[in-house]
Amino acid sequence: VGASRFLRGLVSLIDARDLTIIVNTGDDECFFGLHVSPDVDTILYTLSGLISPTRGWGIADDSFACLQALGRFYDTTWFQLGDRDLATHIVRTDILHRGGTLSSATRTIASALGVKPIVLPMSNDRVRTFVDVEGRGPLPFQEYLVRRRGTGRVRAIQYRGIGNANPAPGVLRALRRADFIILPPSNPLVSIGPILSLKGIRNALRSRAARVVAVSPIVAGAPVKGPLHRMLRGLGHEVSPVGVARFYRGLVDVFVLDERDAAMAPRVAELGMRPLVTDTLMTDVTRSRRLAAVVLAELGQ
Amino acid sequence: VGASRFLRGLVSLIDARDLTIIVNTGDDECFFGLHVSPDVDTILYTLSGLISPTRGWGIADDSFACLQALGRFYDTTWFQLGDRDLATHIVRTDILHRGGTLSSATRTIASALGVKPIVLPMSNDRVRTFVDVEGRGPLPFQEYLVRRRGTGRVRAIQYRGIGNANPAPGVLRALRRADFIILPPSNPLVSIGPILSLKGIRNALRSRAARVVAVSPIVAGAPVKGPLHRMLRGLGHEVSPVGVARFYRGLVDVFVLDERDAAMAPRVAELGMRPLVTDTLMTDVTRSRRLAAVVLAELGQ
């Protein structure tokens, strides 16, 4: 959601066709035999204007008649899949069953929805993020986040399958050829972490010519959305922009932190990143655009 | 639809758990990668009370939000799949992809919907009914019936795959052990024909102990619903109860024809079947029950 809010501002400032978006697929889940890619869909729905502005995920004004009927056959109806949203999962699953990849499914869906940037799933191989919660054991990410509402003490996070997963076609090339790279204000552990852990990604980032900017998802000691604070705390990290910046050491040139956290700028600088202090809250499109403009200006764009 | 209307009467008169219903699957079609079994679903929705009484297929008061959204990705949205109806196709497809059969999928769905009779798909093997229409060539059945609205001159009907298809588990045993067998007022060419053409079915019917009753789907020179008259005419058959009865020669003991066609009773008798003349129109449940009662009385039930 943080990434999509940032993107809605960014695409209003640059030619969307110049933009390549690499999206986490570690949160993908199979419900009712349908392949759901929550992060990809949030990006696609945001960029196509279909997104529910109130929820920040799913399609605006969607209905839930099919999900309700699926409740007759399954007890896994805790993941809210709307009727219009289901069409996306149905076509993705259809393409995968016909031998297509997540890349080709994403391309087809993006094109049908009129999305202009290139949206790449991070990998066509199966990576599954598990959150190991005290007293519950490792939970698939959606079960942790949605079913359990992100509660419980986090002991570990696993990216299962990451060792055998390759970046999807176009991912490494996009990083190598980019004029600039932005790590949006997303969860560094479960949204950006899986991407950074894929074969070749860290190398591509270390050897890139482009400047890299990251935006802190933690503002004033708490995530704007989601259970990132519990994850950081559970794993022994500091719940602050500095705690996030540490994950990006050696990869990022500029680290954007909120003005409420201005006092931490020197500690970010100590990590070898230039701190950029600004208002990072994106409560509406105007503010998203303003933040994107600040980041672009820093990048000389 | 004729079969389901007859069944809604029949189940109100006998213990539904004593009933085994063998259903055509030659009309099954894949839409959006989902396995749709229209005949099975019409039976299941009728027996569970979910059926749309106005349409005679699909679920009452269903919405079409998902189908509309699927229209962004496919041009095959001419087959009206409602949001609640889609749940059935999603679970069926899920079961098939996990290695289940049409039998097991049907059992799961029937059980979840509270359907008491045993509903058996005629076969777990793929049989596809094609209608060869002049100037258009062979069309898959749903395309002929729904997309083309059953128009055009029918030159031939093919049951593709029928030679390699076996009756589903339980089908032959149900026929051999039945106290009585009813061929409801369905299309003899595309609804009952595929079942009769499966390996072993005609033999099971010829060697059965039970009496067999068939009900004419043609009343006063026209089918109650659907393009049966065009099919019969196109293939050179008489569009009358006699034209239908000829398909059942040697298989059926009693042939029920409508009182509007009473004059044809002697010609039915000439085919070696006892003609039973009654009001066969099932415009409401009371009339369905009345017709079922007449058939059961004839069978000594």
Side-chain angles (χ1 to χ4, degrees):
Chain A
V1 172
S4 70
R5 293 218 167 129
F6 184 80
L7 282 166
R8 75 183 170 181
L10 189 64
V11 292
S12 72
L13 297 171
I14 61 170
D15 188 336
R17 282 162 297 193
D18 290 340
L19 188 64
T20 298
I21 306 167
I22 301 166
V23 189
N24 172 45
T25 55
D27 303 355
D28 285 20
E29 194 51 87
C30 186
F31 293 105
F32 323 119
L34 301 175
H35 187 107
V36 180
S37 296
D39 285 3
V40 170
D41 291 342
T42 297
I43 298 298
L44 294 178
Y45 293 162
T46 297
L47 295 176
S48 61
L50 291 173
I51 196 93
S52 162
T54 47
R55 293 187 311 231
W57 51 266
I59 292 179
D61 302 319
D62 211 351
S63 48
F64 293 85
C66 188
L67 186 73
Q68 196 182 23
L70 283 164
R72 294 192 185 108
F73 307 115
Y74 298 89
D75 54 9
T76 50
T77 54
W78 47 266
F79 197 83
Q80 293 287 300
L81 297 171
D83 295 324
R84 290 164 186 82
D85 187 22
L86 274 164
T88 305
H89 317 312
I90 289 172
V91 64
R92 175 182 292 118
T93 305
D94 188 17
I95 291 169
L96 293 175
H97 278 140
R98 288 165 189 268
T101 60
L102 219 43
S103 290
S104 64
T106 305
R107 206 159 45 231
T108 297
I109 296 164
S111 159
L113 299 184
V115 170
K116 291 196 187 97
I118 297 169
V119 179
L120 302 177
M122 68 177 196
S123 178
N124 286 324
D125 304 316
R126 195 83 182 91
V127 176
R128 294 194 76 193
T129 299
F130 278 74
V131 180
D132 190 349
V133 176
E134 201 166 84
R136 283 201 184 117
L139 301 173
F141 182 73
Q142 298 302 338
E143 196 167 329
Y144 163 73
L145 182 74
V146 181
R147 191 175 203 177
R148 309 292 184 182
R149 296 167 197 280
T151 59
R153 190 166 170 276
V154 175
R155 292 188 303 197
I157 291 171
Q158 307 153 2
Y159 311 141
R160 296 194 187 167
I162 196 83
N164 299 314
N166 288 303
V171 168
L172 290 179
R173 194 178 48 192
L175 290 174
R176 288 204 196 97
R177 295 196 182 173
D179 294 320
F180 56 86
I181 297 168
I182 302 171
L183 277 56
S186 294
N187 187 315
L189 292 163
V190 295
S191 299
I192 296 187
I195 305 177
L196 294 181
S197 303
L198 280 170
K199 269 178 227 155
I201 298 281
R202 280 178 187 274
N203 272 345
L205 280 178
R206 283 199 197 97
S207 60
R208 90 279 169 191
R211 292 184 78 207
V212 183
V213 178
V215 182
S216 174
I218 294 275
V219 172
V224 176
K225 198 174 156 81
L228 171 57
H229 53 307
R230 288 195 209 107
M231 293 181 170
L232 287 170
R233 200 176 297 126
L235 299 176
H237 300 292
E238 182 179 323
V239 184
S240 80
V242 176
V244 173
R246 284 200 187 107
F247 289 100
Y248 300 149
R249 207 165 1 181
L251 303 174
V252 163
D253 303 300
V254 179
F255 189 86
V256 180
L257 64 169
D258 193 82
E259 50 198 22
R260 293 160 197 79
D261 298 312
M264 293 189 187
R267 294 181 59 208
V268 167
E270 278 167 26
L271 296 170
M273 302 173 208
R274 184 177 126 64
L276 175 58
V277 177
T278 189
D279 179 5
T280 64
L281 281 183
M282 298 178 286
T283 44
D284 56 41
V285 182
T286 309
R287 295 175 72 130
S288 293
R289 194 183 302 127
R290 208 202 62 82
L291 177 59
V294 169
V295 170
L296 287 175
E298 171 67 22
L299 288 161
Q301 298 290 318
Chain B
V1 172
S4 70
R5 293 216 165 132
F6 183 80
L7 282 166
R8 74 182 171 181
L10 189 64
V11 293
S12 72
L13 297 170
I14 62 170
D15 188 335
R17 283 162 297 195
D18 290 340
L19 188 64
T20 299
I21 306 166
I22 300 166
V23 189
N24 172 47
T25 55
D27 302 355
D28 285 18
E29 195 49 87
C30 187
F31 293 105
F32 324 120
L34 301 175
H35 187 108
V36 180
S37 295
D39 285 4
V40 170
D41 291 342
T42 297
I43 299 296
L44 294 179
Y45 294 161
T46 297
L47 296 175
S48 61
L50 291 174
I51 196 93
S52 162
T54 47
R55 293 188 309 230
W57 51 265
I59 293 179
D61 302 320
D62 211 349
S63 47
F64 293 85
C66 188
L67 186 73
Q68 197 182 20
L70 283 164
R72 294 193 188 107
F73 308 115
Y74 297 91
D75 54 7
T76 50
T77 53
W78 47 266
F79 197 83
Q80 293 286 299
L81 297 171
D83 295 323
R84 291 163 185 82
D85 187 22
L86 274 164
T88 306
H89 317 312
I90 288 172
V91 64
R92 176 182 292 117
T93 305
D94 188 18
I95 292 170
L96 292 174
H97 278 139
R98 288 166 188 268
T101 60
L102 220 44
S103 289
S104 64
T106 305
R107 206 157 48 231
T108 297
I109 297 164
S111 160
L113 299 184
V115 170
K116 291 196 186 96
I118 297 169
V119 178
L120 301 177
M122 69 177 195
S123 178
N124 286 325
D125 304 316
R126 195 82 182 94
V127 177
R128 295 194 75 192
T129 299
F130 278 75
V131 181
D132 189 348
V133 176
E134 202 166 82
R136 283 200 184 120
L139 301 174
F141 182 73
Q142 297 303 340
E143 197 168 328
Y144 163 74
L145 183 74
V146 180
R147 190 175 204 176
R148 309 293 185 180
R149 295 168 196 281
T151 58
R153 191 165 169 275
V154 174
R155 293 188 303 198
I157 291 170
Q158 307 153 3
Y159 311 140
R160 295 193 188 168
I162 197 83
N164 299 316
N166 288 303
V171 166
L172 291 178
R173 193 179 50 193
L175 290 173
R176 287 203 196 96
R177 293 193 181 174
D179 294 320
F180 56 86
I181 296 167
I182 302 172
L183 278 56
S186 295
N187 188 314
L189 292 163
V190 295
S191 299
I192 297 188
I195 305 177
L196 294 181
S197 303
L198 280 170
K199 271 179 226 154
I201 297 281
R202 280 177 185 276
N203 272 344
L205 280 177
R206 284 199 196 96
S207 60
R208 91 278 171 193
R211 292 184 78 208
V212 182
V213 178
V215 183
S216 175
I218 294 275
V219 172
V224 176
K225 198 173 155 80
L228 171 57
H229 52 305
R230 286 192 212 111
M231 294 181 169
L232 288 169
R233 199 176 297 126
L235 299 176
H237 301 293
E238 183 178 321
V239 184
S240 81
V242 177
V244 173
R246 284 201 187 107
F247 289 101
Y248 300 150
R249 208 162 3 178
L251 303 174
V252 163
D253 302 301
V254 179
F255 188 86
V256 180
L257 63 170
D258 194 82
E259 47 197 23
R260 292 160 198 79
D261 299 311
M264 291 187 187
R267 294 181 59 208
V268 168
E270 278 167 25
L271 296 169
M273 303 171 208
R274 186 177 123 64
L276 173 59
V277 177
T278 188
D279 179 4
T280 64
L281 282 182
M282 297 179 287
T283 43
D284 57 40
V285 183
T286 309
R287 296 176 72 132
S288 292
R289 193 184 301 126
R290 209 202 59 82
L291 177 58
V294 169
V295 170
L296 287 174
E298 171 67 22
L299 288 160
Q301 298 291 318

